[in-house]
Amino acid sequence: MTDRRERTSVLALSFIAFTLMFAVWLEFGILAIPIQKEFGLSDTQFYWLTALPVLNGSIWRLFTGIWADKYGGRKVMIALLLLSAIPTALLTRVHSVSVLFILAFLIGIAGNSFSAGIAWNSAWFEREHQGFALGLFGAGNVGASITKLIGPILITATAGATYLGGLATGGWRLVPAIYTVLLLLMALSIFLFTPRKDRMPGSSVPLKMQLEPLKEIRVWRFSLYYTVVFGAYVALSSMLPKYYEAQFGVPLWKAALLTALFIFPASLLRPLGGSLSDRFGARRIMYWTFWVMILTSGILMMPQGHIVVEVAKTKSASGIVEVMPWHVGIVPFVILTILLGSAMGIGKAAVYKHIPEYFPTHVGAVGGLVGMLGALGGFFLLPIFGYVQAWTGIKSSPFAVLFLLTVICLIWMHVVVMKILQKHAPDFLHIFERHN
């Protein structure tokens, strides 16, 4: 197998594996709706059910990235596929609320495949092609839409049915049954069709040295950026189906399809984000990303309603007038979420373009930490969205949280850029992308 074919096989199969595991990781965005009805869960329990997989899909990202550098991404990806298959299979037989929450947490291990795949692909691609390669691999985020596309159809069409002599049952339980089979087949495919002699850039690097870059504030700043473009994406992917049902009164299948319209650009535009970052520089792309996110979330966060103004009785018999009515219908809402998702998709690649550029020998550790904190942001944002909605009574308030976080990121990034330019201007203007 030639070097080019080996690189292609790593990229192609890691992309498919990541897409599948991302689908498994976020399957509760749809499955939790019929599960809530079957188990009688409260809305708070619903949000925690969707958040627990996100938690377990976050906390191991630092280590899976390091392990991929040290032992090879091939071994780590196969291990994650097999570990994900076990609780996914058990989910098909769950009948206890406590066991349900435990399995939801364990299934989240699939989410850690991202940092392993980033490190694996970084080891196989040269720096000038890493932006596109990592962006294409990261487009596996589109897996979040798989359950949303097939789930409602399978759940409705197979409800009450049994298969294979009762081994598999229809309804929502059929979805994890299908995923179990696919996870096992994917593990076998990577074992058979990727290079057995893997590249392990961190195999001789002690753990302490691999963790050394984590002392740099830059790494934590990148993590905050990733919380906004990825953590919020994860949270919105899980929240939007229920939001569409509650805010616009659409059925589950339509809510899932409309959510997929947000997910597709947020995932499929990631390779474009990588290519743009290669060409124009990652920081310039981050500026564009943050401004588009601020604009769209700023519109989406505005509460529906109008302003009531007291006027003279001669102007109104009741003494009040309703002015400046505001209502975002479902069509403009969908368009705005598509724009928001597009910015997130491009921004995710731009954040990760920084990592091999500044930390070429620590991609696993740095990429793992950035991915871990970004995904943890998604875990915390889900209950925060729920609590903010309950506290304010405003259904659109989750977008206000996103708006605030994005503004903080933009200000922090701009302050850093201005400090660099003040120190090195004017000769530094054309190279500041590379030095921070």
Side-chain angles (χ1 to χ4, degrees):
M1 187 181 290
T2 65
D3 191 56
R4 182 176 180 181
R5 288 182 62 188
E6 289 178 334
R7 287 199 304 270
T8 302
S9 68
V10 168
L11 179 57
L13 288 174
S14 64
F15 165 74
I16 297 171
F18 177 51
T19 302
L20 174 60
M21 283 193 276
F22 209 89
V24 172
W25 185 39
L26 296 184
E27 64 183 333
F28 287 97
I30 289 296
L31 298 189
I33 295 175
I35 287 174
Q36 181 182 27
K37 297 172 183 176
E38 179 177 328
F39 288 84
L41 304 180
S42 66
D43 283 345
T44 303
Q45 288 176 311
F46 171 90
Y47 276 110
W48 279 110
L49 181 62
T50 58
L52 281 174
V54 178
L55 173 62
N56 197 29
S58 310
I59 56 180
W60 301 104
R61 287 189 172 207
L62 172 60
F63 302 102
T64 52
I66 292 174
W67 292 334
D69 270 349
K70 191 172 184 65
Y71 304 111
R74 180 173 179 267
K75 293 177 182 177
V76 177
M77 290 293 276
I78 291 173
L80 289 172
L81 285 160
L82 295 177
L83 288 172
S84 302
I86 297 170
T88 304
L90 294 175
L91 183 64
T92 64
R93 296 290 181 175
V94 68
H95 295 285
S96 162
V97 172
S98 57
V99 175
L100 170 67
F101 277 81
I102 292 171
L103 291 176
F105 176 79
L106 293 176
I107 285 170
I109 193 71
N112 296 287
S113 57
F114 175 73
S115 55
I118 286 288
W120 193 17
N121 281 281
S122 293
W124 280 93
F125 284 85
E126 300 84 358
R127 181 176 298 183
E128 60 269 20
H129 298 120
Q130 283 177 341
F132 174 77
L134 299 186
L136 182 58
F137 166 76
N141 287 165
V142 76
S145 67
I146 293 178
T147 307
K148 292 171 178 60
L149 291 174
I150 69 171
I153 299 171
L154 283 175
I155 292 168
T156 303
T158 64
T162 58
Y163 303 93
L164 302 175
L167 185 62
T169 57
W172 67 265
R173 296 174 189 271
L174 185 60
V175 176
I178 293 172
Y179 281 153
T180 301
V181 175
L182 294 177
L183 287 167
L184 295 175
L185 290 175
M186 195 67 240
L188 181 62
S189 298
I190 289 180
F191 178 77
L192 293 176
F193 302 117
T194 57
R196 299 204 173 191
K197 187 177 181 181
D198 208 351
R199 294 183 180 180
M200 296 168 279
S203 58
S204 60
V205 182
L207 178 62
K208 184 178 180 181
M209 190 177 295
Q210 284 190 315
L211 296 176
E212 194 69 24
L214 306 190
K215 296 178 181 178
E216 297 192 31
I217 189 65
R218 178 189 293 139
V219 175
W220 299 89
R221 181 158 45 86
F222 293 163
S223 299
L224 181 60
Y225 297 168
Y226 203 61
T227 296
V228 168
V229 296
F230 177 72
Y233 157 77
V234 170
L236 289 174
S237 296
S238 297
M239 183 203 79
L240 280 176
K242 191 172 181 65
Y243 187 91
Y244 275 116
E245 277 195 320
Q247 181 76 352
F248 299 106
V250 300
L252 176 59
W253 67 268
K254 184 177 287 187
L257 289 177
L258 293 175
T259 302
L261 293 178
F262 161 76
I263 292 171
F264 277 128
S267 306
L268 298 179
L269 289 181
R270 194 161 182 162
L272 175 62
S275 296
L276 291 174
S277 298
D278 286 337
R279 181 175 180 183
F280 299 109
R283 184 163 287 106
R284 182 177 296 178
I285 302 303
M286 291 307 302
Y287 269 113
W288 297 347
T289 294
F290 288 151
W291 277 117
V292 173
M293 290 183 64
I294 287 170
L295 176 63
T296 52
S297 62
I299 297 173
L300 291 169
M301 74 177 182
M302 296 175 66
Q304 314 277 18
H306 49 260
I307 298 175
V308 177
V309 180
E310 292 185 1
V311 296
K313 296 282 187 176
T314 55
K315 299 294 183 181
S316 172
S318 62
I320 60 172
V321 173
E322 298 174 353
V323 298
M324 297 179 66
W326 175 260
H327 176 75
V328 177
I330 191 168
V331 172
F333 182 90
V334 170
I335 293 172
L336 287 168
T337 56
I338 290 173
L339 291 173
L340 178 62
S342 299
M344 286 177 162
I346 292 172
K348 283 183 284 189
V351 172
Y352 264 84
K353 170 63 178 175
H354 289 90
I355 295 172
E357 184 72 23
Y358 303 124
F359 307 99
T361 60
H362 299 88
V363 172
V366 177
L369 179 70
V370 171
M372 179 183 75
L373 294 180
L376 275 174
F379 164 72
F380 286 111
L381 282 173
L382 272 167
I384 287 173
F385 285 171
Y387 289 132
V388 170
Q389 279 184 325
W391 177 57
T392 62
I394 300 173
K395 293 178 180 178
S396 60
S397 56
F399 295 102
V401 176
L402 176 58
F403 176 86
L404 180 61
L405 282 174
T406 309
V407 169
I408 291 171
C409 285
L410 178 61
I411 291 173
W412 192 1
M413 183 175 73
H414 191 64
V415 167
V416 170
V417 171
M418 289 299 101
K419 286 182 178 179
I420 297 169
L421 295 181
Q422 286 172 4
K423 183 178 180 180
H424 299 277
D427 296 332
F428 194 66
L429 283 170
H430 67 290
I431 59 171
F432 80 93
E433 270 290 335
R434 296 172 51 196
H435 287 268
N436 191 63

